[in-house]
Amino acid sequence: MTSCLKTTPLHPWHKDAGANMADFGGFDMPLWYETGVKTEHLAVLTSAGIFDTSHMACLFVTGGDAFKLINYCFTRDITALDPGRCVYGAFLNSKGHCLDDAIVYKNSDVFFMICVNAGMGAAIAGHLNENTTGLEVTVEDLTGKIAKMDIQGCNSARIFSKLIQNPAKMFNPLPYFSFKGNFDESLLGDSAVKLSDGTPILLSRSGYTGEFGFEIFIHPKAIVKLWKDILAVGKDLGVTACGLGARDSLRAGACLPLSHQDIGPWKFKNHPWEFALPYTKDKTSFTKDFLGAKALLSTEGDVFVYPFVGESLRKVAAGEETKVLDKTGAVIGRVLTCATDMGITRHDGKIISIASGNLLPDVPIKGLSCGFVMVSKQLDPGVTLTLAEGKRSITATLVTDIRPDRTARKKITDFL
Amino acid sequence: MKDLKDLNFPDDVKYTKDHEWARKEGDLITIGIDDYAQDQLGEIVFVELPEIGAGFSKGDEFGSVESVKAVSQIYIPVSGEVVEINAGLEDAPELVNQACYTQGWLIRVKPSQASELDSLMDKAAYLDMLKG
């Protein structure tokens, strides 16, 4: 049964660590280790956690028309994107439906890297290649040629600085959504980032937890050593190996979508991620033409996706069977994601986080369920809904954001 | 997930196909979820239990166990009336993970048909089922 699943270079480590494994995007991946999801989730909010994200796929897009191809296929307008910067967005089809979300890394005007989700390397490469007519551009799927891990949380830079050459130079400056270096020695420019043993890496100030940290792209042969080294040098600071369970609850609390679950074969609009669309200021048009733009500008078949927070840590299963009911009891949609952010609670009508500081000792952080609903009509924040799964149900309130006091966007100098 | 050989299945309880266990204790039957179930579910964060006095028929859903991963319904292995619930799980649901056959028990029932217990699987039959 598991024999057809793909594995990452860290797979033996996960098994040795007693991880609870499951299929994710065709890969046998750790859901959690013996530490448990709650501890792993909280480690990222209070110290640092590491995630094996080698199941994700990367593409290189090179050539004189690389910019043209990406700017036509990607939802972000990358006209003003500087080399060394990266940006989050999505690839749509002509119906405006989402094929996958991605981060586009600009090395130069003629060389971009794109990081997409597990198993999506060939699909997105194929999609790009369908749109290259008349363009001078090459799309290379790097699936299997590159490994990746993320280190997330306030101690990430303190830990990682012990493992790279010239950390002061590498980290300063390194703003949110910028990157340095490359995992391929032959592609290293002035911004080379190397581990202490000389291994080249691509270091990106990003991640998918909402917290401060890095994504590290590295040769598959070198990742196990890096993983073990981080656990060793970060032990005193409490660094913790985290599975996809904690990644899911952290990203849900950070109001970030999971591809193929919160974004998918429906229109990529009317959702919390409209920053990923190139709207003009008045939101009546786009700053560029791109694949799917025409469909998005029409209101036909529109649906609405909103973040919600529950009353307690109790949740419902996400999926087609779980209905969203308004106060009249009418079914108006379904639940896309329902996870529990174990690091937050409600106090005096506000959501507070374990990382908020000045927590009152008599206010225990118990966790709150949260996620996204897809409904057929426009609703305002503050609206309460019932999420019903068979006989069970929970009350959910629509919100504009979930976990407060996240650190992802803060200055790196705050964490050195 | 642990290998079957690393899971604990005591001899003094009976098992159901839905991974509940039942143990005869005097006139009462104590019920919980087994080591396989708690391992599959992962960290349990909430246990929903019935009211004392509630009556159920064998196979009825009597509550749910919620983990960080999923919400799982639990089914009663024998017909009867609930005479006691494990109130300690309200503040410490993790007891189900830590000691599913002892401190992590769920409910005690007064069985209406004590012979139903005999129809449940013993350890050997249950292990055969798990091995498929």
Side-chain angles (χ1 to χ4, degrees), chain A residues 43 46-48 154-162 231-240:
Chain A
T46 57
S47 175
C154 57
N155 283 329
S156 299
R158 287 181 202 109
I159 293 164
F160 204 58
S161 66
K162 296 178 185 175
L231 288 173
V233 303
K235 198 178 173 198
D236 296 345
L237 286 168
V239 70
T240 302

Side-chain angles (χ1 to χ4, degrees), chain A residues 37 220 252 259 286:
Chain A
V37 186
S259 192
F286 295 121

